[in-house]
Short mmCIF file of all heavy atoms in Angstrom, two decimals:
data_model
loop_
_atom_site.label_atom_id
_atom_site.label_comp_id
_atom_site.label_asym_id
_atom_site.label_seq_id
_atom_site.Cartn_x
_atom_site.Cartn_y
_atom_site.Cartn_z
N ILE A 8 -27.06 57.50 -16.08
CA ILE A 8 -26.55 56.32 -15.39
C ILE A 8 -25.84 55.49 -16.46
O ILE A 8 -26.29 55.20 -17.52
CB ILE A 8 -27.81 55.51 -14.93
CG1 ILE A 8 -28.56 56.38 -13.91
CG2 ILE A 8 -27.26 54.17 -14.20
CD1 ILE A 8 -27.98 56.77 -12.69
N VAL A 9 -24.64 55.01 -16.11
CA VAL A 9 -23.85 54.01 -16.97
C VAL A 9 -23.55 52.78 -16.18
O VAL A 9 -23.35 52.79 -14.98
CB VAL A 9 -22.70 54.63 -17.62
CG1 VAL A 9 -23.08 55.91 -18.45
CG2 VAL A 9 -21.65 55.04 -16.57
N GLY A 10 -23.42 51.76 -16.87
CA GLY A 10 -23.01 50.48 -16.35
C GLY A 10 -24.13 49.67 -15.52
O GLY A 10 -23.69 48.88 -14.76
N LEU A 11 -25.24 49.74 -15.92
CA LEU A 11 -26.31 49.01 -15.32
C LEU A 11 -26.14 47.57 -15.71
O LEU A 11 -26.17 47.23 -16.90
CB LEU A 11 -27.72 49.46 -15.74
CG LEU A 11 -29.03 48.91 -15.08
CD1 LEU A 11 -28.93 49.02 -13.55
CD2 LEU A 11 -30.21 49.41 -15.69
N ARG A 12 -26.12 46.69 -14.79
CA ARG A 12 -25.95 45.24 -14.97
C ARG A 12 -26.65 44.48 -13.89
O ARG A 12 -27.03 45.06 -12.90
CB ARG A 12 -24.49 44.90 -15.12
CG ARG A 12 -23.72 45.20 -13.85
CD ARG A 12 -22.19 44.83 -14.07
NE ARG A 12 -21.47 45.14 -12.80
CZ ARG A 12 -21.44 44.23 -11.83
NH1 ARG A 12 -22.01 43.17 -11.82
NH2 ARG A 12 -20.81 44.57 -10.70
N PRO A 13 -26.73 43.09 -14.15
CA PRO A 13 -27.35 42.35 -13.06
C PRO A 13 -26.55 42.41 -11.75
O PRO A 13 -25.33 42.59 -11.80
CB PRO A 13 -27.28 40.98 -13.55
CG PRO A 13 -27.21 41.07 -15.02
CD PRO A 13 -26.37 42.38 -15.25
N PRO A 14 -27.26 42.44 -10.63
CA PRO A 14 -28.72 42.29 -10.44
C PRO A 14 -29.41 43.64 -10.37
O PRO A 14 -30.66 43.64 -10.28
CB PRO A 14 -28.80 41.58 -9.05
CG PRO A 14 -27.58 42.15 -8.32
CD PRO A 14 -26.57 42.39 -9.34
N LEU A 15 -28.70 44.76 -10.51
CA LEU A 15 -29.32 46.05 -10.43
C LEU A 15 -30.30 46.35 -11.52
O LEU A 15 -31.41 47.03 -11.41
CB LEU A 15 -28.36 47.22 -10.37
CG LEU A 15 -27.44 47.27 -9.18
CD1 LEU A 15 -26.52 48.46 -9.18
CD2 LEU A 15 -28.29 47.20 -7.88
N ASP A 16 -30.05 45.74 -12.72
CA ASP A 16 -30.96 45.91 -13.84
C ASP A 16 -32.38 45.39 -13.50
O ASP A 16 -33.40 46.00 -13.84
CB ASP A 16 -30.42 45.33 -15.18
CG ASP A 16 -30.24 43.85 -15.12
OD1 ASP A 16 -30.15 43.28 -14.00
OD2 ASP A 16 -30.10 43.24 -16.18
N ARG A 17 -32.48 44.23 -12.87
CA ARG A 17 -33.71 43.72 -12.44
C ARG A 17 -34.38 44.68 -11.43
O ARG A 17 -35.61 44.84 -11.54
CB ARG A 17 -33.50 42.35 -11.86
CG ARG A 17 -34.70 41.58 -11.42
CD ARG A 17 -35.53 41.18 -12.63
NE ARG A 17 -36.65 40.42 -12.13
CZ ARG A 17 -37.86 40.51 -12.60
NH1 ARG A 17 -38.10 41.34 -13.61
NH2 ARG A 17 -38.89 39.89 -12.08
N LEU A 18 -33.64 45.15 -10.43
CA LEU A 18 -34.27 46.09 -9.53
C LEU A 18 -34.84 47.31 -10.19
O LEU A 18 -35.88 47.76 -9.92
CB LEU A 18 -33.16 46.51 -8.50
CG LEU A 18 -33.59 47.55 -7.41
CD1 LEU A 18 -34.69 47.02 -6.59
CD2 LEU A 18 -32.36 47.96 -6.61
N PHE A 19 -34.03 47.79 -11.16
CA PHE A 19 -34.47 49.04 -11.82
C PHE A 19 -35.86 48.77 -12.58
O PHE A 19 -36.80 49.52 -12.66
CB PHE A 19 -33.48 49.56 -12.87
CG PHE A 19 -32.42 50.40 -12.23
CD1 PHE A 19 -31.79 50.12 -11.04
CD2 PHE A 19 -32.00 51.48 -12.96
CE1 PHE A 19 -30.82 50.87 -10.53
CE2 PHE A 19 -31.05 52.37 -12.36
CZ PHE A 19 -30.47 52.03 -11.23
N GLN A 20 -35.85 47.56 -13.24
CA GLN A 20 -37.03 47.08 -14.03
C GLN A 20 -38.33 46.89 -12.95
O GLN A 20 -39.37 47.34 -13.44
CB GLN A 20 -36.83 45.88 -14.83
CG GLN A 20 -35.88 46.06 -15.90
CD GLN A 20 -35.51 44.65 -16.47
OE1 GLN A 20 -35.78 43.66 -16.07
NE2 GLN A 20 -34.59 44.75 -17.56
N LEU A 21 -38.03 46.27 -11.88
CA LEU A 21 -39.16 45.91 -11.02
C LEU A 21 -39.86 47.20 -10.44
O LEU A 21 -41.10 47.26 -10.32
CB LEU A 21 -38.67 45.06 -9.85
CG LEU A 21 -38.39 43.63 -10.13
CD1 LEU A 21 -37.75 42.96 -8.98
CD2 LEU A 21 -39.65 42.97 -10.46
N VAL A 22 -39.05 48.23 -10.19
CA VAL A 22 -39.64 49.42 -9.67
C VAL A 22 -39.90 50.55 -10.66
O VAL A 22 -40.58 51.59 -10.41
CB VAL A 22 -38.82 49.99 -8.44
CG1 VAL A 22 -38.65 49.03 -7.33
CG2 VAL A 22 -37.40 50.47 -8.94
N GLY A 23 -39.50 50.29 -11.97
CA GLY A 23 -39.94 51.15 -13.02
C GLY A 23 -38.80 52.35 -13.23
O GLY A 23 -39.15 53.20 -14.08
N VAL A 24 -37.80 52.47 -12.49
CA VAL A 24 -36.92 53.56 -12.73
C VAL A 24 -36.12 53.40 -14.04
O VAL A 24 -35.67 54.46 -14.48
CB VAL A 24 -35.86 53.76 -11.50
CG1 VAL A 24 -36.61 54.20 -10.28
CG2 VAL A 24 -35.03 52.61 -11.24
N ASP A 25 -36.11 52.31 -14.63
CA ASP A 25 -35.42 52.16 -15.90
C ASP A 25 -36.16 52.94 -16.96
O ASP A 25 -35.49 53.36 -18.02
CB ASP A 25 -35.33 50.64 -16.35
CG ASP A 25 -36.62 49.95 -16.51
OD1 ASP A 25 -37.66 50.30 -15.84
OD2 ASP A 25 -36.77 49.11 -17.47
N THR A 26 -37.40 53.19 -16.86
CA THR A 26 -38.18 54.08 -17.80
C THR A 26 -38.08 55.58 -17.40
O THR A 26 -38.27 56.41 -18.16
CB THR A 26 -39.61 53.71 -17.87
OG1 THR A 26 -40.22 53.85 -16.58
CG2 THR A 26 -39.76 52.21 -18.26
N LEU A 27 -37.64 55.96 -16.19
CA LEU A 27 -37.53 57.25 -15.81
C LEU A 27 -36.18 57.82 -16.05
O LEU A 27 -36.02 58.99 -16.43
CB LEU A 27 -37.99 57.35 -14.24
CG LEU A 27 -37.66 58.66 -13.60
CD1 LEU A 27 -38.79 59.71 -14.10
CD2 LEU A 27 -37.83 58.45 -12.08
N LEU A 28 -35.17 57.09 -15.70
CA LEU A 28 -33.76 57.46 -15.76
C LEU A 28 -33.15 57.32 -17.16
O LEU A 28 -33.56 56.42 -17.86
CB LEU A 28 -32.93 56.72 -14.67
CG LEU A 28 -33.39 56.97 -13.32
CD1 LEU A 28 -32.50 56.02 -12.37
CD2 LEU A 28 -33.28 58.40 -12.82
N ARG A 29 -32.22 58.17 -17.43
CA ARG A 29 -31.42 58.04 -18.74
C ARG A 29 -30.29 57.07 -18.46
O ARG A 29 -29.36 57.41 -17.65
CB ARG A 29 -30.89 59.42 -19.11
CG ARG A 29 -32.06 60.38 -19.46
CD ARG A 29 -31.54 61.75 -19.86
NE ARG A 29 -30.96 61.60 -21.25
CZ ARG A 29 -30.27 62.50 -21.83
NH1 ARG A 29 -29.97 63.62 -21.19
NH2 ARG A 29 -29.83 62.26 -23.09
N ILE A 30 -30.32 55.84 -19.11
CA ILE A 30 -29.38 54.80 -18.89
C ILE A 30 -28.60 54.70 -20.16
O ILE A 30 -29.14 54.47 -21.24
CB ILE A 30 -30.09 53.59 -18.47
CG1 ILE A 30 -30.80 53.85 -17.15
CG2 ILE A 30 -29.04 52.45 -18.29
CD1 ILE A 30 -31.73 52.75 -16.67
N PHE A 31 -27.20 54.48 -20.03
CA PHE A 31 -26.37 54.30 -21.20
C PHE A 31 -25.42 53.26 -20.79
O PHE A 31 -25.07 52.89 -19.82
CB PHE A 31 -25.56 55.62 -21.54
CG PHE A 31 -26.45 56.74 -21.70
CD1 PHE A 31 -26.86 57.52 -20.63
CD2 PHE A 31 -26.74 57.19 -22.96
CE1 PHE A 31 -27.66 58.73 -20.94
CE2 PHE A 31 -27.51 58.31 -23.32
CZ PHE A 31 -28.05 59.15 -22.23
N PRO A 32 -24.98 52.52 -21.97
CA PRO A 32 -23.99 51.39 -21.75
C PRO A 32 -22.63 51.83 -21.30
O PRO A 32 -21.92 51.11 -20.54
CB PRO A 32 -23.95 50.71 -23.15
CG PRO A 32 -24.48 51.69 -24.12
CD PRO A 32 -25.35 52.58 -23.38
N THR A 33 -22.15 53.04 -21.80
CA THR A 33 -20.76 53.47 -21.51
C THR A 33 -20.74 54.91 -21.05
O THR A 33 -21.62 55.68 -21.42
CB THR A 33 -19.86 53.21 -22.53
OG1 THR A 33 -20.14 54.10 -23.67
CG2 THR A 33 -19.87 51.73 -23.09
N VAL A 34 -19.66 55.35 -20.51
CA VAL A 34 -19.52 56.78 -20.14
C VAL A 34 -19.32 57.64 -21.43
O VAL A 34 -19.92 58.67 -21.55
CB VAL A 34 -18.12 56.98 -19.29
CG1 VAL A 34 -17.92 58.52 -19.19
CG2 VAL A 34 -18.39 56.42 -17.90
N ALA A 35 -18.74 56.99 -22.47
CA ALA A 35 -18.66 57.78 -23.73
C ALA A 35 -19.93 57.98 -24.38
O ALA A 35 -20.18 59.04 -24.96
CB ALA A 35 -17.74 56.96 -24.73
N ASP A 36 -20.82 56.98 -24.38
CA ASP A 36 -22.25 57.17 -24.84
C ASP A 36 -22.98 58.23 -24.06
O ASP A 36 -23.67 59.08 -24.66
CB ASP A 36 -22.98 55.89 -24.75
CG ASP A 36 -22.47 54.85 -25.73
OD1 ASP A 36 -22.04 55.13 -26.82
OD2 ASP A 36 -22.52 53.67 -25.43
#
């Protein structure tokens, strides 16, 4: 996953998928 930003970042944190999924700041990363 790339480009996670508000308000989705809060949703990901609330349900815990931010610890399950691989999240990167950019496509290059």
